[in-house]
Amino acid sequence: MADPFSAAVDAQWVDIPMPGGSPRAMPAWWARPAAGERPRAAVLVLPEVFGVNGWVRSVADRLAAEGYAALAISTFWRTAPHLDVGYDEAGLAAGREHRDQVTTDQLLSDVAAAAAWLQAAHQGDGLAHKPLGCVGFCFGGHLALLAATLPVIAATADFYGARVSTFRPGGGSPSLELVPEIPGRLWCFCGDADPLMPAEELRAIEAALAAHPEAGHRLLIAPGAGHGYMCTARGDYHPAAAQEGWAALLELFASSL
């Protein structure tokens, strides 16, 4: 996929060192504003089950064009560090195979390592002591809710992160039960025509967020939108809902980071 923002940003693959003296590193796509421009803040991008593919990289590039430093991390780096599969049945099956091997503890460790890299390696950008944003899509949206429990994350956009009311990666009580532990703001996005997020799931999310009105959490439901509506490469892409979702994401980050 061509990157329409490549002229406005500096972007490249980087390797994120992992804690504990691990000989392996986590691949990530690193995008920042064009040379000479200081990022306004940094954002972590958590991909769908299809990996850090062209569309996910374009999200990071688009954030960089808005003035943010963005790091899209490979959440499947332990089993498929360079996963990049298509939006078809074969790609979905391959992605789900690796998705099912991710645990919550692994994800939190990965996000902490990415945050440490951002803050330590880019002190000259003014990122050393700034809180981070986080955005995730599909399974990455579910993981973004988990990442939101870390103190370093100040604002999280969870796009259609399914099964948060019934499941937690690696086992345990449903991820939605962690909402009281989130120190920052969590905005959950989904379409009202998403078959992976039925009405009972949306009610559970709404209730969990509403229980903490002081936190500034929100549930934003896009009329007529299905699963994956933000992604231009998916059959459920919904231009109007995607435009509104992107505007809300920028509002969240501008007011929180």
Side-chain angles (χ1 to χ4, degrees):
M1 177 189 300
D3 178 6
F5 306 102
S6 59
V9 306
D10 293 331
Q12 62 182 318
W13 285 102
V14 296
D15 289 326
I16 307 300
M18 302 309 293
S22 172
R24 300 177 62 195
M26 176 174 61
W29 181 253
W30 169 239
R32 51 163 296 145
E37 295 186 34
R38 199 173 194 181
R40 57 198 299 178
V43 176
L44 296 177
V45 181
L46 306 184
E48 309 155 301
V49 297
F50 307 97
V52 186
N53 58 16
W55 182 75
V56 170
R57 297 194 300 273
S58 79
V59 171
D61 293 353
R62 191 175 180 184
L63 284 166
E66 293 286 349
Y68 295 95
L71 188 70
I73 66 174
S74 175
T75 51
F76 303 146
W77 70 271
R78 292 172 180 82
T79 57
H82 298 287
L83 184 71
D84 182 344
V85 295
Y87 291 100
D88 54 20
E89 288 301 319
L92 181 61
R96 284 178 171 173
E97 177 183 347
H98 298 288
R99 174 202 67 183
D100 293 342
Q101 299 179 64
V102 174
T103 70
T104 296
D105 287 346
Q106 289 174 345
L107 179 278
L108 294 178
S109 176
D110 293 348
V111 170
W117 180 86
L118 279 168
Q119 294 183 325
H122 298 278
Q123 296 187 32
D125 290 331
L127 301 178
H129 303 292
K130 282 191 174 183
L132 306 181
C134 183
V135 57
F137 303 89
C138 189
F139 183 56
H142 190 140
L143 297 182
L145 186 151
L146 298 173
T149 62
L150 295 175
V152 73
I153 305 296
T156 301
D158 164 5
F159 280 92
Y160 33 86
R163 301 195 295 166
V164 294
S165 68
T166 58
F167 170 78
R168 184 183 299 189
S173 59
S175 299
L176 196 59
E177 294 186 12
L178 296 174
V179 167
E181 301 179 24
I182 294 175
R185 301 167 75 191
L186 171 66
W187 288 12
C188 296
F189 299 76
C190 65
D192 66 2
D194 186 343
L196 299 184
M197 301 188 73
E200 56 269 26
E201 170 101 330
L202 299 185
R203 287 194 295 267
I205 294 172
E206 184 175 29
L209 301 184
H212 303 277
E214 74 289 348
H217 301 326
R218 291 180 63 186
L219 172 61
L220 297 92
I221 300 178
H227 192 73
Y229 69 82
M230 292 290 291
C231 180
T232 55
R234 301 187 68 156
D236 272 338
Y237 173 60
H238 192 298
Q243 182 177 7
E244 292 181 6
W246 184 257
L249 176 151
L250 293 179
E251 176 189 347
L252 170 63
F253 290 158
S255 61
S256 305
L257 303 180

